[in-house]
Amino acid sequence: GVQKDRQDQAAVGWEYQTDLSKHESQTDAAKGFGGKYGVQKDRQDKSAGGYDDMEEVKPTYRTQRGPAGQASNIKAKFEKMASEDEEATRRVEEEERRRREREERAELTRKQRE
């Protein structure tokens, strides 16, 4: 066992439990991290303003609006691009068809000459 006469006076046993004191923010709702009434006034920055000191915020950014009907112009542009693409593919197909026909005619005339 333990020799009681030689034990450190500050030593305590396993059964000992200390009562921890609560932080002031846990005991008084008027203080602490925001608390019931907000920031602690004695620890507040001198240049800091409160919610009562705020002025109405005025927007400095103005949205720029385009000419009226711009959305329909965009739609028309996309439709025009699509029709131009269709026309371009149609032209390419037509040229390809004509080239093949010319090659076939040339082949037929060569065979007829032989």
Side-chain angles (χ1 to χ4, degrees):
V2 178
Q3 295 176 349
K4 298 285 183 182
D5 60 329
R6 297 188 184 164
Q7 187 177 8
D8 186 8
Q9 297 301 319
V12 293
W14 291 104
E15 68 279 351
Y16 179 77
Q17 289 184 343
T18 58
D19 291 330
L20 298 175
S21 61
K22 292 187 175 184
H23 189 267
E24 65 180 18
S25 66
Q26 296 172 318
T27 57
D28 189 5
K31 293 183 177 179
F33 309 107
K36 184 176 177 184
Y37 304 109
V39 179
Q40 296 175 353
K41 298 293 182 187
D42 60 328
R43 296 189 181 122
Q44 187 176 10
D45 188 8
K46 302 300 179 204
S47 63
Y51 287 106
D52 300 333
D53 300 334
M54 290 181 60
E55 297 176 6
E56 185 175 336
V57 178
K58 297 175 184 168
T60 57
Y61 176 76
R62 289 183 283 151
T63 57
Q64 297 182 2
R65 300 195 181 259
Q70 189 174 7
S72 61
N73 287 344
I74 292 173
K75 182 180 176 185
K77 284 180 185 178
F78 279 107
E79 289 174 351
K80 183 179 176 184
M81 285 171 45
S83 65
E84 287 175 354
D85 287 343
E86 290 173 3
E87 289 176 18
T89 54
R90 215 176 301 129
R91 276 188 248 126
V92 169
E93 289 172 354
E94 186 68 32
E95 290 174 10
E96 189 70 25
R97 191 176 323 128
R98 286 183 194 151
R99 186 184 59 78
R100 277 193 231 126
E101 287 175 358
R102 274 187 260 132
E103 288 177 359
E104 288 174 2
R105 282 188 214 137
E107 187 70 30
L108 284 175
T109 55
R110 253 187 273 141
K111 285 184 181 181
Q112 287 176 354
R113 288 185 187 165
E114 293 177 0

